[in-house]
Amino acid sequence: AERSADQPGRAVVDFPVAAVLPAGGSGERMGLTTPKQFCSIFNRPLISYTIQAFERLPWIVMVVVVVAKDNHDLMLNIVRKFNHTKVKVVHGGTTRHRSIYNGLQAFSDSTDSSTPKPKVVIIHDAVRPFVEEDLLLKITLAAKEQGASGAIRPLVSTVIATTSESYLDHSLERAKYRASEMPQGFLYDIIFQAYQRCSEFDLEFGTECLHLALQYCGTNARLIEGPPTLWKVTYKRDLAAAEAIIKETLSVSACIIAEAEEEAVELAKTLQKNLNMMETDVIPCGKESNVQYLSKTRNFIHISASASSSLWVLEMVKCFEDIDHARLYPVVIVWVQLSMTKQSADSQETDEFMALASEVKQRNVLLYGIKIDHSKELEQWQRSLERLGQITLVLIRDRNMALTGQMLHV
Amino acid sequence: AERSADQPGRAVVDFPVAAVLPAGGSGERMGLTTPKQFCSIFNRPLISYTIQAFERLPWIVMVVVVVAKDNHDLMLNIVRKFNHTKVKVVHGGTTRHRSIYNGLQAFSDSTDSSTPKPKVVIIHDAVRPFVEEDLLLKITLAAKEQGASGAIRPLVSTVIATTSESYLDHSLERAKYRASEMPQGFLYDIIFQAYQRCSEFDLEFGTECLHLALQYCGTNARLIEGPPTLWKVTYKRDLAAAEAIIKETLSVSACIIAEAEEEAVELAKTLQKNLNMMETDVIPCGKESNVQYLSKTRNFIHISASASSSLWVLEMVKCFEDIDHARLYPVVIVWVQLSMTKQSADSQETDEFMALASEVKQRNVLLYGIKIDHSKELEQWQRSLERLGQITLVLIRDRNMALTGQMLHV
Ligand SMILES: [Mg+2]
Ligand SMILES: [Mg+2]
């Protein structure tokens, strides 16, 4: 039942699959700081990224998010703001296991027709946003076949047994052991039964769902090696790591739009060469209404070679709104202004650009400007071109919210 | 033998302590990519940060860095460029254990008086740069007393035993196990003897130094709980995480230098209020020759209220050079130019500023400009002040190398 590379999940998974995301129990153990699942990257809480990783898959029918009662409204706002359509929010218990059990119970309530019982349920952490369809499919199919399945990773450190007085007792042979990670998949009937049968002690102190399925239903989980991106966002530094991964994903491609002037077209081609670490296309200005084109990337470099109106910015942003292109991730527009005569922006121009950037930022579009003078000696022109490439790349990769509306010089 | 908070390590450690940093074996397992210890943050390889964590401690007498033969010159260049004075570079073996053994042998060569045998040797990974004196002291003192000691962390995932066919066998009780991390400390004689006695199999396939000390010398290691920042920089995302930690450390304080004009002094005080998440001092301009003051932080905000000469920049940078202030970390200078009349920078001014920034960047000083107009209505002035705070903070926190020389507007 392994899928081949070109089979979409929908064709393979012909049974209902749902997900349960425990997201925070009572939240009290975290102390005063915001639980990581509610920390934001680009003004969007981590949990929304995780939800999206499931929601985008047509074969996932429902995502049950289990949150502490105190975070119920916060969670509903997130669902609304980021237009999550498959989510049901459920209240958590005082421990991780109780929360998962609550989540599973949402499907057993026969009076609620919005949550029919799934064949397979995937349990996943809200703070592991980078789970791929490939792994979710493997987990799902193995769970269907075997009753239970779980992602594993090699151990990163040696595991040692300790004596009660903090001395080394022995070290484990690494090859025989694995770290148990998420996602895990189960036949719904099996994991629900396991939770019904397990003890209060399990619900209070247990950590491993796979263990419950084994102990209470005799179901041996199939273990599947997952990629390193499965790691759990735990510390503040993990948020920086997650942000870096998202930034990289958002920066693989760009669309360079050149206005009609010959110099603009030429500059576009040079810039394309200097941005060789990204996939870029150069298209003429005016095709901006080509929605299909604009939906292919979230990075746009607009090149104009004379004082030109900024009307295209608002048209473009309107276009993004029509296709809801900037809801989940910010879109970057870098406006490169090639001036043929050495002249600097006046104060009014600067203010207007900043006002425009403020306006489109409200629609999650990050607008930056770069001025480049043509009237320079060759060597200086080369340096300017090089700098143009570097700064364009940095603006796209960083997606810095505070620097929108700035007109940079190269 | 526990140290109290106000006792410096030097007073407690009255015996010679050295460190061995295995940094890459043959490097072949890493494939084509640069091994993480040679990846740079702010143009400085990770391994230099780790070396510095040891070298800064007066009670550490020597740091032996074990590198693959191919990286020998690279490593010597790093030692030279960042002025590491306690480092000896040694060639690695084909496995981690062989590399550590090679490192230890450097001290047993009685013909080389530059590496006298230490009482205690600390073994640490080159890719764990954030080790603190506090932990190194505990590890050292425990090793002296007990013969061996090692840092541990709680397990982040459940550890499971697998059957040969990738099925769950059983899960371990988390409370009884720990992850073995670095640093580890040993009486030199014990760990060297353990390596002399151990088998080829150990040298080829073993991973745990504590295990060797136990098996071959009967020495039970004392285990000491370390902080989460001990984690090993392994994936690309870990580099982003490490960079975020370094950036945060560098951004805790700033010095605001106000030129003599009343408006500049007033603006400095307002900015200080808006930068309340940093520790800031406001000092008058002219005290820049006060070396002691300048060495307290790596962030400077210079405020001028009229067209003013940029001579102070070079003077300041000269000052940093005299105290070697920018060798290990880049220093940020944000020049805030308050203009009393609405006037924009001319093209020549822009070019000169960029040239100045290029020049000082070669000394690892990152110069940015911010223009703020005073001639605005109150509401706009308030917005500008707010933006000034935000952008100053972002420039200091990001330390973006590509944006130096830019004159931003608020
Ligand atoms: Mg579990
Ligand atoms: Mg070891």
Side-chain angles (χ1 to χ4, degrees):
Chain A
E2 283 287 299
R3 88 188 167 121
S4 71
D6 56 336
Q7 274 179 309
R10 196 172 223 162
V12 187
V13 184
D14 53 2
F15 48 88
V17 179
V20 171
L21 307 183
S26 72
E28 278 166 28
R29 276 184 309 170
M30 307 292 294
L32 285 170
T33 57
T34 307
K36 288 290 170 289
Q37 63 269 24
F38 296 118
C39 291
S40 286
I41 295 174
F42 295 130
N43 289 332
R44 185 176 158 213
L46 200 59
I47 192 165
S48 168
Y49 291 87
T50 312
I51 290 170
Q52 183 61 16
F54 286 87
E55 203 169 63
R56 68 186 168 191
L57 305 177
W59 52 276
I60 304 269
V61 295
M62 165 118 330
V63 181
V64 170
V65 179
V66 192
V67 297
K69 215 173 166 183
D70 289 351
N71 292 324
H72 190 259
D73 290 347
L74 171 63
M75 193 61 226
L76 289 184
N77 280 336
I78 294 168
V79 168
R80 202 175 307 121
K81 181 167 178 197
F82 299 102
N83 200 24
H84 294 303
T85 55
K86 296 180 182 175
V87 168
K88 186 183 172 78
V89 179
V90 160
H91 287 174
T94 49
T95 66
R96 179 177 163 77
H97 270 323
R98 291 190 202 279
S99 290
I100 294 172
Y101 193 13
N102 285 3
L104 293 171
Q105 273 170 327
F107 299 107
S108 70
D109 178 0
S110 58
T111 62
D112 183 355
S113 63
S114 75
T115 47
K117 203 180 80 170
K119 180 77 180 169
V120 166
V121 65
I122 300 173
I123 300 174
H124 190 67
D125 289 319
V127 289
R128 302 190 197 240
F130 300 112
V131 60
E132 294 288 345
E133 174 168 27
D134 181 54
L135 181 66
L136 288 174
L137 262 181
K138 285 180 185 160
I139 289 287
T140 297
L141 296 175
K144 170 93 178 318
E145 214 176 277
Q146 188 64 28
S149 62
I152 53 170
R153 290 279 307 152
L155 294 177
V156 286
S157 311
T158 308
V159 173
I160 57 182
T162 60
T163 67
S164 52
E165 289 94 10
S166 290
Y167 286 97
L168 173 67
D169 192 81
H170 63 276
S171 58
L172 301 187
E173 237 184 275
R174 261 206 222 186
K176 290 188 182 159
Y177 295 87
R178 296 288 182 279
S180 172
E181 308 284 341
M182 290 280 159
Q184 295 177 347
F186 301 91
L187 284 171
Y188 178 79
D189 289 338
I190 285 188
I191 191 66
F192 191 57
Q193 201 168 64
Y195 272 102
Q196 285 178 308
R197 289 176 182 173
C198 78
S199 67
E200 282 297 308
F201 185 88
D202 287 320
L203 290 177
E204 199 64 30
F205 300 106
T207 56
E208 185 50 64
C209 305
L210 299 180
H211 180 79
L212 296 184
L214 178 61
Q215 188 175 354
Y216 294 102
C217 299
T219 303
N220 248 10
R222 179 77 200 283
L223 303 175
I224 292 165
E225 176 103 14
T229 45
L230 275 188
W231 107 107
K232 203 166 166 174
V233 174
T234 309
Y235 302 105
K236 198 173 172 189
R237 66 166 191 260
D238 290 316
L239 271 180
E243 186 175 311
I245 291 174
I246 293 168
K247 282 179 174 176
E248 204 182 331
T249 311
L250 291 177
S251 306
V252 292
S253 70
C255 179
I256 304 176
I257 301 167
E259 289 194 6
E261 301 93 336
E262 195 186 323
E263 294 85 1
V265 175
E266 201 180 314
L267 182 57
K269 287 177 185 161
T270 309
L271 184 56
Q272 182 176 38
K273 245 177 266 160
N274 291 351
L275 289 176
N276 55 0
M277 60 293 291
M278 300 177 82
E279 289 171 39
T280 51
D281 285 306
V282 176
I283 64 171
C285 188
K287 281 212 180 160
E288 279 154 36
S289 52
N290 185 337
V291 171
Q292 278 191 301
Y293 213 100
L294 293 195
S295 67
K296 277 175 58 187
T297 181
R298 283 194 174 84
N299 306 299
F300 300 89
I301 303 159
H302 182 104
I303 301 184
S304 60
S306 55
S308 104
S309 142
S310 64
L311 269 181
W312 62 268
V313 175
L314 294 177
E315 280 166 24
M316 204 169 182
V317 171
K318 172 79 174 56
C319 212
F320 296 149
E321 285 205 296
D322 290 344
I323 60 171
D324 211 15
H325 194 47
R327 185 190 293 272
L328 298 181
Y329 300 98
V331 169
V332 167
I333 301 177
V334 179
W335 186 358
V336 178
Q337 302 184 359
L338 175 61
S339 53
M340 305 307 294
T341 56
K342 217 175 170 73
Q343 71 180 166
S344 54
D346 63 26
S347 188
Q348 194 194 335
E349 209 180 319
T350 306
D351 288 353
E352 279 171 11
F353 187 67
M354 197 165 285
L356 178 62
S358 292
E359 190 184 337
V360 302
K361 194 178 183 176
Q362 284 167 27
R363 282 89 187 254
N364 212 14
V365 175
L366 310 179
L367 175 65
Y368 311 95
I370 303 179
K371 273 217 186 298
I372 177 169
D373 284 342
H374 205 299
S375 56
K376 286 174 174 171
E377 42 161 348
L378 185 64
E379 201 183 317
Q380 203 177 349
W381 174 239
Q382 294 293 349
R383 254 205 318 276
S384 292
L385 286 174
E386 201 180 298
R387 213 145 39 193
L388 176 64
Q390 286 168 0
I391 290 190
T392 303
L393 194 64
V394 160
L395 290 174
I396 288 174
R397 286 196 176 156
D398 278 5
R399 290 178 137 65
N400 192 311
M401 300 265 178
L403 296 181
T404 62
Q406 293 298 331
M407 183 61 70
L408 307 177
H409 289 81
V410 294
Chain B
E2 284 286 301
R3 90 191 164 118
S4 72
D6 55 336
Q7 274 180 309
R10 196 171 221 162
V12 187
V13 184
D14 53 1
F15 49 89
V17 179
V20 170
L21 306 182
S26 71
E28 279 167 27
R29 276 184 308 169
M30 306 293 295
L32 286 170
T33 56
T34 307
K36 288 291 170 287
Q37 63 269 25
F38 295 118
C39 290
S40 286
I41 295 174
F42 296 128
N43 289 332
R44 184 176 159 215
L46 201 58
I47 191 165
S48 168
Y49 291 88
T50 311
I51 290 170
Q52 182 61 16
F54 287 86
E55 205 169 64
R56 68 185 168 192
L57 305 178
W59 51 275
I60 303 269
V61 294
M62 163 117 336
V63 181
V64 170
V65 179
V66 192
V67 298
K69 214 172 165 182
D70 288 353
N71 292 324
H72 189 257
D73 289 348
L74 171 63
M75 193 62 227
L76 288 185
N77 281 335
I78 293 168
V79 168
R80 203 174 309 120
K81 181 167 178 198
F82 299 101
N83 201 24
H84 294 302
T85 55
K86 297 181 183 174
V87 168
K88 184 182 173 80
V89 180
V90 161
H91 287 174
T94 50
T95 64
R96 178 176 164 76
H97 269 324
R98 291 190 202 279
S99 290
I100 294 172
Y101 193 13
N102 284 2
L104 293 172
Q105 273 169 329
F107 300 107
S108 70
D109 179 0
S110 57
T111 63
D112 183 355
S113 65
S114 75
T115 47
K117 203 181 80 170
K119 180 78 180 170
V120 165
V121 63
I122 300 173
I123 300 175
H124 189 66
D125 290 318
V127 290
R128 302 189 197 239
F130 301 111
V131 60
E132 295 287 348
E133 175 169 24
D134 179 54
L135 181 67
L136 289 173
L137 262 183
K138 286 181 185 159
I139 289 287
T140 297
L141 296 176
K144 169 93 179 317
E145 213 175 277
Q146 189 63 28
S149 61
I152 53 169
R153 287 281 306 153
L155 295 176
V156 286
S157 312
T158 307
V159 172
I160 57 182
T162 61
T163 68
S164 51
E165 289 94 9
S166 289
Y167 286 96
L168 172 67
D169 193 80
H170 64 275
S171 58
L172 300 187
E173 237 183 277
R174 264 205 220 187
K176 289 187 184 161
Y177 295 88
R178 295 287 182 280
S180 171
E181 310 283 342
M182 289 282 161
Q184 295 177 348
F186 302 90
L187 284 170
Y188 178 80
D189 289 336
I190 285 189
I191 191 66
F192 191 57
Q193 199 168 66
Y195 272 102
Q196 284 177 309
R197 290 176 181 173
C198 77
S199 67
E200 282 298 307
F201 186 87
D202 287 320
L203 289 176
E204 199 63 31
F205 300 106
T207 56
E208 185 51 63
C209 305
L210 299 182
H211 179 79
L212 297 184
L214 178 60
Q215 189 175 354
Y216 294 102
C217 297
T219 304
N220 250 10
R222 178 77 201 281
L223 304 175
I224 292 166
E225 175 105 11
T229 45
L230 274 189
W231 106 108
K232 203 168 167 173
V233 174
T234 309
Y235 302 105
K236 198 172 172 187
R237 68 166 190 260
D238 290 317
L239 272 179
E243 185 176 313
I245 290 174
I246 293 168
K247 282 179 174 175
E248 204 182 329
T249 309
L250 291 177
S251 307
V252 292
S253 70
C255 178
I256 304 176
I257 300 167
E259 290 195 4
E261 301 93 337
E262 194 187 324
E263 295 84 3
V265 175
E266 200 179 315
L267 182 56
K269 286 178 185 161
T270 309
L271 184 57
Q272 182 176 39
K273 246 177 264 159
N274 290 351
L275 289 176
N276 55 0
M277 61 291 291
M278 300 176 83
E279 287 171 38
T280 52
D281 284 306
V282 177
I283 63 169
C285 187
K287 280 213 181 160
E288 280 154 37
S289 51
N290 184 338
V291 171
Q292 277 189 302
Y293 213 100
L294 293 194
S295 68
K296 276 174 60 186
T297 181
R298 284 193 174 84
N299 306 299
F300 301 89
I301 304 159
H302 183 105
I303 300 184
S304 61
S306 55
S308 104
S309 143
S310 65
L311 268 181
W312 62 268
V313 175
L314 295 176
E315 279 167 24
M316 204 169 182
V317 170
K318 171 78 174 56
C319 212
F320 295 149
E321 286 204 296
D322 290 345
I323 58 171
D324 211 16
H325 195 46
R327 185 190 292 272
L328 299 180
Y329 300 97
V331 168
V332 168
I333 301 177
V334 179
W335 186 358
V336 178
Q337 302 183 357
L338 175 62
S339 53
M340 305 307 294
T341 57
K342 218 177 170 74
Q343 72 181 161
S344 52
D346 63 27
S347 188
Q348 194 195 334
E349 209 180 319
T350 306
D351 289 352
E352 280 172 11
F353 187 67
M354 198 165 287
L356 177 62
S358 293
E359 190 185 334
V360 302
K361 195 178 184 174
Q362 284 166 30
R363 283 88 187 255
N364 213 14
V365 175
L366 310 179
L367 175 64
Y368 311 95
I370 303 178
K371 271 218 187 297
I372 178 168
D373 285 341
H374 204 299
S375 56
K376 286 174 174 172
E377 42 160 350
L378 185 65
E379 201 183 319
Q380 203 177 347
W381 175 240
Q382 294 292 349
R383 256 204 316 277
S384 293
L385 286 174
E386 201 179 299
R387 214 147 36 198
L388 176 65
Q390 286 168 0
I391 290 190
T392 303
L393 193 64
V394 160
L395 290 173
I396 288 173
R397 286 196 176 156
D398 279 4
R399 293 177 136 67
N400 192 310
M401 299 265 178
L403 296 182
T404 60
Q406 294 297 331
M407 183 60 70
L408 307 178
H409 288 81
V410 295

